[in-house]
Amino acid sequence: MSNGDLKSQAALGFFTVLEHEQQGLIGGYLILNQAGRPLEFHCTAPVKANRAQQILFGPTLESYLYGEQIGQTLLGKSSLEPLVVCTDVELALTVRDYISLPVALVLTDEEIPKQASAESPSCIWRVDAAHRAGSHLNQFALGRNRLAVPAHRETDRQMISDRLENVAGLDLSEPFERIREAVEEAHKGTRS
Amino acid sequence: MDPSGLTVFSEQIVTWTPSLEVCAFDVDPRVEISLLPSTWAESELRAPRPRLHSIAMAGSLTGAVSLSLVAAKPKILSFEFPQFMSWRKEGTAPAETLAVDELASPTPCLAAEPVAAPDAPAARTRIKPPGDVIKLEDRLFYMLQPSLETLIGEGALSFPFHPFPYQFEGVAFLYPRYAAILADEMGLGKTMQAITALRLLLHAGELRTALLVCPKPLVTNWQREFSQWAPELPVTVIEGDQARRRWQWQQTETPVKIANYELLQRDRDVVADLGLQFDLVVLDEAQRIKNRASATSQCVRAVPRRRSWALTGTPVENSPQDLVGIFEFLAPGYLNDEMKPRRMGKAASEYVLRRTKDKVLTELPPKTFRDAEVDLSGPQRQTYQLAEEEGVLKLTEMGPQATIQHVFELVLRLKQICNFDPATGESSKFERLAADLDEVAASGRKAIIFSQWVSTLETISSRLAPLRPLSYHGRIPANQRDGILEEFRNDPSRHVMLLSYGAGGVGLNLQFAEYVFLFDRWWNPAVEDQAINRAHRIGAAGPVTVTRFLALDTIEQRIDQVLREKREIFDTIFSDVEPQQKTGLTQQEIFGLFKLRSPNGPIDLAA
C-alpha cells in the first residue's frame, strides 16, 4: 500500500473558527483518517473586518467572514476531500454555501436543550440569539454525538448519517480541541 | 434706443452663469438704461451703471470613494502529515480497528478499572511534542494525534483495564520521544506503559520492529505482560541454541523481539552480521548499563536503532555517573561526569519521567512509617559488642586476605544479635513488637511481620504462641502456602502472619493487613518496599502503618546511615519527586561499615 493509497482512505474534516480578542478570527481545518489520526492541517492568518465592512455588511458580516472568507479559503486549500465536514461553530455552517460537501454542526452537551432528549432524535430548535431570526437547525443523533444541519439543508442530514455510519462511535467534538491547540502552536511558531 | 425712449435690456451683454459665479445687481436691472451707446465715451457717462459681484462657486467637484468590500483571501499555513504503513501485512485486519478479547486475569495492581464506557470521563491525555522537537510541522504532528483516551476508550484498541491517568501520561511521554527514561517507582506499571506506547506506535505505523532487552528472570513476565496489554502483537522470545536464535533474530513476521541481556551479549555478532536495525530498543532494568565500560553496556549500545527507551526505578544507584552511563545509550555525550548533580538533573529532565506512588496513587490510603529505634538490653549489648570486637579484630588480622564474604558474615552475625541475643534470648525489638501486636489483635486488625531469617521468624512465632501466628516462608511446603494465605485472609481470629522477605516479599496480595513490621532491615530499600506493598496496594481497606525496627548504635544504624546518604544524591538529581532510593550497599560500603579497607582501596564511607 503506498502512501497515496493510505491517504485516499475515507477522511473526516473538522473546521472551526477561533475568536481572538486582539487578532480577530482564525480558522483551523483538520482532516483525520478514520482512526482519528491527522492527515492534513490548515490554518489561516488572523482575519479582522475593517470598519467599512462592519458597516456595510451589517448582519451578514459574520457569515461572510466565517463562510466565505475563512471557510471557503481554508477548505479549498486541502488536497483531500473528506466525507463530511464537521464544525463546532454555528456560523461556520455557512461554508456549506461554497462547497459541495455536507457540513454538520457538532453540538456539545451545553448546547443541547433539555427538551431535546434522546427519545426525540429529530426536532427543530433554535441555538441562535433571540434577535437573530430565521436560523433554524435540524438536530439529530449519530452514535454518541448530537449533530445539526441548517433546516434548509435537510438533505445533508441523511448524507451525513450514511457517510459517518462507520465512525459513529467517535467523539466528534474531540478533534476541535486539537485544532485549538495546533492553531495556538502554529501562530506561536510563526510569531517567533 | 427704441421709439418709446426706453433703453432696451440686452440679454446678450448681461449673462448669467450660475455654475461659475453669482451675479448680483446693485440696482434693479430692469431700470431703463442704455447699454448700447453709440460711442465709447458716451457709454462712460451713462448712469446708473450696474456693478457685478462675482462669487466663485467652482470649488472641488464631489469626490466618489470606492470601497472594496471583498478582502483578499487570508494567508494560510498548510501541513500534510506522513501516513505510515502498519506493521500488519496487507490482507489482515486493519491495524486500528482491532477486536481484542478481554483477558480473564488482569493485573489489578496496574490498572484502575475495567475499560470505561464510551461516554465516561472527559479527561484527555494529549501527546505533547518533546522540547527538542523544533520543526513546527513535527510539533503539530504530535499535537494533532488523538488523545490516548480516545484511542483506548472508543474501541480502537482494547485494554483489559482502564489505565490510571498517570499511566496515560507516561505513555504520552514515551510516544513522541526518541530518547527517554521512564523511571517510575516500582509498582507503578512501567511495563504496561512501555508496552502501550510501543503498541500505539506500531499501530500508527511509526514502528515496525522493536527489541525489548531485560534480565533473564523477567523474560516470562514480559511475555505475560505483552499478552495482557497488547494481545494482538506477536512476540518472539530469543532463546534456545545458537542456530535457533539466529533463525529467531531473522524473523520479520513478529514486530517485537524479547531478549535477555546475556543472550544479546552472546549474539552480538549475529545481530551485526544480519545487519539488524530496530526502530525501537527498550531496556528494562536499565541500571544494568550504568557502567559504560561493561560488556553489557557496550553490547546494548551497539545495536542499531532509531529510538532508545530505558526503564528503571533506580536511574541513580550509587552516584550521578550511573545516569551518565544510561544516557550513553540514549544520547551519547549528552551528560558527562563533570556535571554537578543539579545541572545534570536539569539537563536530564526533558528525557526522564519519574513518579512515585505517593504522588500519583492518591486513591491509595496513606502509608505511615514509624521508625522504632530500640536500645539493646544490657546482656544483648554485651553480646553484640563482644561479637563486633572479635569480628573486627579477626578481619584486621586477615589483612588483604579479608574478602567481602568475611565482612558480610560479620554483618549478618551482628544483625542476628540485634534481633535476639543468642546467649540470653533477650530481645528489645521483640518486647516492643509483642506490645504492638497485642494492640493490633485487640482491635481486630491484621499485621504482617518480615524478617530475613527463618530462624528469627520461628523464634518470634514460638514466643507469640498465644496469638496463634501463621507463617509463610521458605520452610513452609509450597502446597500449604495458599491455604495459609486463605486462612489469614478469612479467619478473623488470625491476626498475625510471619513472612520472610524471600518468600513473602513479592506476588502476594495482603491488602487486608493494616500493619507491617520490618523486624530487621534488608540491604536494599526496594526489597523492603516490595514487602510493604503486600499490604499497601490497590484495594487496601485503610491506612497502612509500617514499623521499621532499628537497634541504636549498631550495625543496623550504620547501614541505615549509608543508605540515607545515597538517597540524598538521588534527591538532588530528581529533586522534583518524592525521595526514593532503591539500592543496596556496594562492596566498598560494606567494608566501610567497620572502617576497613576494601581490596580496591581505602574507605571513606565508614559510619
Side-chain angles (χ1 to χ4, degrees), chain A residues 46-123:
Chain A
V47 174
K48 206 168 188 177
N50 57 35
R51 185 67 185 139
Q53 286 173 320
Q54 287 173 1
I55 294 169
L56 294 169
F57 272 95
T60 65
L61 177 66
E62 286 178 319
S63 61
Y64 162 71
L65 291 176
Y66 281 70
E68 187 180 343
Q69 264 292 92
I70 295 174
Q72 185 187 19
T73 313
L74 208 48
L75 271 61
K77 197 77 177 176
S78 66
S79 57
L80 285 173
E81 183 170 280
L83 298 170
V84 169
V85 174
C86 298
T87 183
D88 62 345
V89 180
E90 188 196 342
L91 281 166
L93 283 172
T94 52
V95 75
R96 178 67 179 91
D97 296 338
Y98 307 96
I99 60 173
S100 57
L101 293 167
V103 182
L105 175 65
V106 180
L107 300 167
T108 60
D109 290 343
E110 297 79 43
E111 291 169 321
I112 299 172
K114 284 176 184 168
Q115 65 269 26
S117 64
E119 287 74 39
S120 57
S122 175
C123 63

Side-chain angles (χ1 to χ4, degrees), chain A residues 1 3 7 35-45 53 64 73 79 144 170-171 177-178 181 185, chain B residues 69 71-81 83 85 90 96 118 124 126 139 143-146 154:
Chain A
M1 189 184 283
N3 217 15
K7 285 211 158 191
R37 299 198 182 278
L39 299 172
E40 289 184 29
F41 175 68
H42 310 272
C43 66
T44 68
Q53 286 173 320
Y64 162 71
T73 313
S79 57
R144 61 192 293 189
L170 285 177
D171 175 4
E177 189 182 316
R178 299 190 230 173
E181 285 182 19
E185 182 75 11
Chain B
L69 295 175
K73 298 292 183 191
K75 187 181 170 191
I76 293 184
L77 287 174
S78 291
F79 304 91
E80 291 190 23
F81 302 110
Q83 294 299 295
M85 285 188 292
E90 283 182 61
E96 296 192 311
R124 286 170 182 154
R126 308 212 57 85
R139 295 182 69 78
M143 294 182 80
L144 288 167
Q145 294 297 323
E154 291 171 353

Side-chain angles (χ1 to χ4, degrees), chain A residues 141-153:
Chain A
L142 185 83
R144 61 192 293 189
N145 304 286
R146 301 297 296 180
L147 305 179
V149 292
H152 66 282
R153 295 280 183 190

Side-chain angles (χ1 to χ4, degrees), chain B residues 181 315-316 319-327 335 344 348 352 573-574:
Chain B
I181 300 180
V316 174
S319 74
Q321 281 72 47
D322 297 345
L323 192 61
V324 179
I326 297 174
F327 263 82
L335 299 184
M344 186 181 290
V352 182
I573 296 177
F574 302 104

